Amino acid sequence: NRKKLAETFERPTTWLEYCKLENAACDESDDVAKRWPNDEIEEGKYFLDGVYTGYFRATEENDCNVNPKTCTGHVVKPECEWSFYVEQQLFWNDIALTSNGPSD
């Protein structure tokens, strides 16, 4: 079910995106981010132990009311050095999930 996948599998949010969108300015510590990222490397992280727990949110790509035929959920692909067939499995099994991120 496309809508259920889109609602369940939200998209990961980088630390910088989280600070800009969800935590006003990361000026105050919360359950997700303890502070602003210190540099560009931290800005692009999806997790940093003890400092940024990671955050998932629905985006326009998850919105089946706006995009009833193309809405998708998100699945995280493994590192590039690994062998994986996520995209092929999603395509051939007609599973409404996609993967995107800093390297896409």
Side-chain angles (χ1 to χ4, degrees):
N1 180 316
R2 179 177 289 279
K3 184 174 182 180
K4 186 168 185 102
L5 288 170
E7 291 173 350
T8 303
F9 292 91
E10 295 179 326
R11 284 168 165 69
T13 303
T14 66
W15 189 352
L16 182 62
E17 288 173 327
Y18 175 77
C19 287
K20 288 181 175 180
L21 296 172
E22 304 294 337
N23 190 359
C26 282
D27 292 332
E28 295 187 24
S29 177
D30 65 14
D31 292 341
V32 177
K34 302 298 180 202
R35 59 172 171 78
W36 272 97
N38 285 330
D39 55 34
E40 285 185 23
I41 293 172
E42 285 189 352
E43 289 175 0
K45 289 195 175 282
Y46 293 102
F47 172 82
L48 184 62
D49 193 27
V51 186
Y52 179 60
T53 63
Y55 187 77
F56 291 82
R57 64 190 166 95
T59 66
E60 189 172 306
E61 294 168 291
N62 296 77
D63 191 341
C64 291
N65 294 321
V66 173
N67 306 301
K69 295 186 182 201
T70 60
C71 64
T72 62
H74 186 275
V75 63
V76 177
K77 291 188 284 190
E79 295 182 26
C80 294
E81 295 83 27
W82 298 0
S83 295
F84 62 91
Y85 304 97
V86 172
E87 291 173 355
Q88 296 89 336
Q89 291 170 337
L90 297 175
F91 177 81
W92 289 108
N93 291 300
D94 197 25
I95 299 172
L97 295 175
T98 58
S99 183
N100 53 10
S103 61
D104 285 351

